Amino acid sequence: QVHLVETGGGLVQAGGSLRLSCAASEAIVSTAWYRQPPGKQRELVAVINIDGDTVYAALAKGRFIISRDNAKNTVYLQMNSLKPEDTAVYLCNARRGDSDWWGQGTQVTVSS
């Protein structure tokens, strides 16, 4: 079982920034950030593989940056120019082969 722990969420004013971290208990190949706004379905934010290749959802392009430190088994999500609609529980998902694991999530709240 791969354990994932997300940290870095909190309350921030519109236009501000946060950096989320996803720490894994062991090496993983691909990691994605998802988010689930209140009353809405879970949606993909960004993906990064072990080589550093990235994919961004439209909502993240130009504002968010996903990165990783393989030595620390940690993936980051730098969130800039935050808007109230970014308010959500942000979750980390890790994949290796045909297996995947989820973290517990971290709450991000953006005030007007």
Side-chain angles (χ1 to χ4, degrees):
Q1 180 77 25
V2 174
H3 298 280
L4 305 173
V5 179
E6 302 102 325
T7 57
L11 176 64
V12 64
Q13 291 183 325
S17 299
L18 287 172
R19 189 178 75 158
L20 308 182
S21 298
C22 173
S25 60
E26 59 189 86
I28 50 178
V29 174
S30 180
T31 304
W33 283 100
Y34 287 77
R35 72 184 190 186
Q36 187 164 12
K40 297 183 178 181
Q41 296 181 348
R42 184 181 300 169
E43 60 187 350
L44 178 68
V45 177
V47 183
I48 188 168
N49 69 14
I50 198 167
D51 297 317
D53 298 321
T54 59
V55 177
Y56 292 94
L59 63 92
K61 291 181 178 179
R63 296 193 300 132
F64 297 174
I65 301 171
I66 189 170
S67 61
R68 68 188 300 158
D69 185 340
N70 290 338
K72 297 180 179 180
N73 295 328
T74 300
V75 173
Y76 305 96
L77 183 68
Q78 178 68 45
M79 308 168 65
N80 302 313
S81 301
L82 285 164
K83 300 179 288 186
E85 51 262 47
D86 294 319
T87 295
V89 174
Y90 284 73
L91 304 109
C92 184
N93 175 264
R95 301 185 68 184
R96 186 175 64 206
D98 59 355
S99 301
D100 69 279
W101 302 267
W102 292 91
Q104 84 287 352
T106 185
Q107 176 70 49
V108 172
T109 302
V110 184
S111 63
S112 300

